[in-house]
Amino acid sequence: MIQLVNRQENGIKVSFVKKERLEEIQKSGGLSETFKADYLEALWLTNEQNEFTLYIGIGEEDLDCIQRKEIAAKAVKLCKEKELHKVSIDITDIINQYSAQAVFDLAEGAILGQYNQRIFKDNQSSKMEIEFCNYNEEVQEQVRAYMNDAISIAEGICFARDMVNLPANRLRPRDFAQEICDFVKDTSIETEVIYEEKLREMGMDALLSVGESSQYPPCMLVMRYKGDPSSNRITGLVGKGVTVDTGGYCLKPSNSMLGIKGDMAGGAAVSAALYALAKNQVKTNAVAVIPMCENRISSGSMLPGDVIRSYSGKTIEIINTDAEGRLILADAVSYAVKDEGVTEILDIATLTGAVVNMLGFSIGGAISDDDKWFDEFYKAYQKSGERYWRLPFYKEHEKMIESKIADIKNLGESHCGTITAGLFIRAFAKERPWLHLDIAGTAWVEPPIFEFQTKGATGAGVSSIYHLCNRED
Ligand code: BES
Ligand code: ZN
Ligand code: ZN
């Protein structure tokens, strides 16, 4: 996907220009006078041989990892806009300033910059050829290693975006399971799809209660990656896989139906992260569990007031059929603990509108009952450049989901919706260290916030989960 070379030879040349280099280049007659090398400012120039060079300003301050992704994405996007299919990016200065590891961000940014949403028309755009040129040969092998690791993550992010961008009629629950199995088939990941009949035998009633709302049956995908047989630690990664969420009998208003196809972004994220871990042969053990279903209206659909059972044995009072995510995640979390023996839990979901109101489209909500576990996640998202904010919880929040007629209810009060949704899931984690991510705001963007995003799915969570599992312990 990206060639690493030590001389620029193939395609449009791209050069990153720091403000301090501007004068030096201008003296040699190089750059137009209006170009200030401000961050993300772009300038196209031709030389005597009629060769194009694209200069991208990178300002004067040090770049953080988001910015390193952005400059690479910007370069690729600009070439894509001009329908130039070969691009050669000089990364030498960045490597020299920030070390070989900086290529990690550049490579991810470049690949995400070329991401196109799948279009259901004839004119499919072709992939670009990207070349990274590093003149500093001493670190070339290190650069190559980091680059290859980043490429697996970026492939994962692109896959997650594809899944989330697919409309509901092109991705039923079983299609989603199949797409993931196909995507990881050349890795060491073991996959198992648990179909409806087996779910019934097992008593996965919370998942079934939501899934029965549709003629397209529910299923649950289990993916096992054993990259560290010497360790007993197994990380459980549970992702919400609702391929369409109409709200059920608590039907969503039509003006809020646009995002309903993207309610499986959590499931897409955990599968993509596991793919990258396996591709990069990371020394860790992780099991992804993805409950998949639709949330619709049928004669068998849940109704407000119903009391259902769950796989754990706990009974649940249904207050709102649109709070379906926590129901299916409850069963998946119970399964991960009981049947897969996971030693710690991460769950990730497009779970509440409340988190969007609170943190917007660039920050995910996080909740955890274990400081050490959250701390590991904190380190992970410093590396990925994603943003999260940890929310508090106390006894009074737990009280909000107590039911008079069942063990628990699926809706709290009109406030603290993100916290009570998380705590509902925690009730099924059987005291394992638990971390909950609500990505309802960050899973898709319109318009994009960062250069490495395009309108639609973002692939939120993939790289942070990857880094969480790729920890040094
Ligand atoms: N999938 C939605 C949450 C959501 C909302 C995701 C907006 C993306 C954008 C979830 O299943 C849901 O419907 N949540 C309800 C819960 C409510 C009924 C307690 C919500 O947040 O409105
Ligand atoms: Zn819902
Ligand atoms: Zn939902």
Side-chain angles (χ1 to χ4, degrees):
M1 259 182 155
I2 303 178
Q3 298 295 327
L4 181 65
V5 297
N6 55 16
R7 211 161 5 112
Q8 265 183 310
E9 38 200 35
N10 217 341
I12 300 298
K13 291 184 180 165
V14 177
S15 186
F16 298 121
V17 189
K18 235 182 158 171
K19 257 194 198 291
E20 64 191 45
R21 258 190 66 210
L22 194 58
E23 225 173 287
E24 163 205 334
I25 309 181
Q26 257 161 2
K27 263 191 208 135
S28 62
L31 288 183
S32 128
E33 279 170 18
T34 55
F35 182 69
K36 300 271 185 301
D38 285 335
Y39 180 64
L40 295 183
E41 188 186 357
L43 175 74
W44 295 90
L45 280 185
T46 39
N47 63 11
E48 300 88 57
Q49 286 87 45
N50 241 357
E51 289 169 337
F52 261 135
T53 300
L54 169 60
Y55 292 95
I56 307 251
I58 58 174
E60 50 195 339
E61 317 233 313
D62 284 351
L63 303 175
D64 62 21
C65 78
I66 293 184
Q67 292 171 316
R68 291 194 291 261
K69 282 188 217 179
E70 282 202 307
I71 58 171
K74 177 90 181 178
V76 171
K77 263 189 176 174
L78 286 172
C79 292
K80 192 172 76 179
E81 272 166 25
K82 293 214 184 305
E83 294 183 27
L84 303 165
H85 295 295
K86 284 185 179 179
V87 47
S88 174
I89 306 177
D90 185 351
I91 62 169
T92 317
D93 289 349
I94 305 283
I95 297 300
N96 288 347
Q97 184 178 350
Y98 299 96
S99 89
Q101 202 168 349
V103 77
F104 205 90
D105 306 317
L106 295 173
E108 188 180 311
I111 290 176
L112 297 183
Q114 74 163 344
Y115 177 80
N116 283 322
Q117 191 176 144
R118 229 185 267 181
I119 297 173
F120 301 96
K121 297 188 206 178
D122 289 340
N123 57 339
Q124 289 290 339
S125 54
S126 60
K127 278 261 176 274
M128 292 174 70
E129 282 176 38
I130 302 174
E131 183 177 278
F132 270 5
C133 171
N134 172 37
Y135 288 90
N136 181 353
E137 296 223 24
E138 267 172 42
V139 292
Q140 197 74 329
E141 285 324 302
Q142 266 171 283
V143 170
R144 191 181 306 281
Y146 283 121
M147 188 182 86
N148 288 336
D149 281 358
I151 288 173
S152 311
I153 299 174
E155 282 172 354
I157 294 175
C158 293
F159 171 76
R161 287 183 181 182
D162 278 342
M163 294 298 101
V164 174
N165 282 331
L166 277 177
N169 71 334
R170 305 261 173 166
L171 193 79
R172 305 297 184 196
R174 286 176 176 198
D175 303 331
F176 187 29
Q178 192 57 50
E179 289 268 2
I180 295 174
C181 291
D182 290 348
F183 181 61
V184 304
K185 71 175 184 308
D186 296 329
T187 70
S188 60
I189 296 170
E190 185 188 303
T191 56
E192 184 189 348
V193 186
I194 305 178
Y195 292 104
E196 202 184 4
E197 206 175 317
K198 178 88 187 292
L199 292 174
R200 210 170 291 285
E201 270 169 37
M202 294 167 76
M204 293 258 180
D205 283 11
L207 172 56
L208 287 164
S209 299
V210 181
E212 262 155 8
S213 65
S214 166
Q215 72 176 104
Y216 303 102
C219 59
M220 194 164 83
L221 174 63
V222 183
M223 308 168 72
R224 305 181 186 94
Y225 171 63
K226 297 195 181 75
D228 188 6
S230 68
S231 164
N232 295 327
R233 205 171 162 180
I234 306 174
T235 307
L237 304 171
V238 179
K240 176 175 175 182
V242 175
T243 55
V244 66
D245 179 12
T246 67
Y249 274 104
C250 301
L251 189 63
K252 290 180 186 294
S254 55
N255 62 3
S256 73
M257 285 248 184
L258 210 60
I260 63 176
K261 68 171 186 177
D263 208 14
M264 22 58 69
V270 293
S271 64
L274 209 66
Y275 164 87
L277 290 166
K279 260 282 172 97
N280 295 347
Q281 300 182 341
V282 171
K283 219 173 147 219
T284 192
N285 304 313
V287 176
V289 181
I290 311 170
M292 300 171 171
C293 66
E294 297 193 333
N295 186 24
R296 295 212 199 206
I297 296 173
S298 76
S299 54
S301 291
M302 289 182 308
L303 295 167
D306 281 359
V307 175
I308 62 167
R309 279 184 80 78
S310 64
Y311 185 47
S312 70
K314 282 190 171 58
T315 51
I316 305 169
E317 181 187 5
I318 303 301
I319 307 291
N320 191 311
T321 60
D322 198 9
E324 84 297 341
R326 64 199 76 180
L327 301 174
I328 70 169
L329 289 166
D331 274 0
V333 165
S334 301
Y335 170 86
V337 173
K338 204 156 121 190
D339 299 63
E340 300 292 332
V342 303
T343 51
E344 63 222 356
I345 293 266
L346 172 146
D347 76 78
I348 177 166
T350 45
L351 205 63
T352 64
V355 82
V356 193
N357 294 333
M358 184 163 34
L359 299 172
F361 300 102
S362 65
I363 309 168
I367 312 178
S368 178
D369 56 10
D370 188 291
D371 290 345
K372 198 162 158 277
W373 184 218
F374 182 79
D375 209 45
E376 290 185 316
F377 182 66
Y378 178 84
K379 288 189 191 122
Y381 72 82
Q382 299 311 306
K383 291 186 199 157
S384 70
E386 290 194 314
R387 308 197 211 274
Y388 292 90
W389 197 259
R390 186 177 177 181
L391 305 174
F393 70 87
Y394 295 96
K395 279 266 173 292
E396 60 269 30
H397 301 107
E398 278 165 26
K399 263 183 107 75
M400 290 178 191
I401 47 174
E402 281 174 10
S403 163
K404 290 208 166 58
I405 57 167
D407 291 318
I408 196 166
K409 61 180 180 182
N410 85 331
L411 191 70
E413 294 172 19
S414 59
H415 44 272
C416 304
T418 303
I419 297 174
T420 49
L423 289 180
F424 181 95
I425 297 167
R426 177 175 180 245
F428 298 83
K430 283 252 162 104
E431 270 133 57
R432 301 292 184 285
W434 164 79
L435 169 66
H436 165 75
L437 305 178
D438 193 333
I439 56 166
T442 54
W444 54 87
V445 284
E446 189 187 350
I449 295 168
F450 301 110
E451 284 294 334
F452 46 81
Q453 297 176 327
T454 44
K455 172 177 166 321
T458 57
V462 177
S463 61
S464 297
I465 297 171
Y466 173 89
H467 287 296
L468 175 67
C469 295
N470 183 23
R471 66 210 149 212
E472 292 113 36
D473 47 9

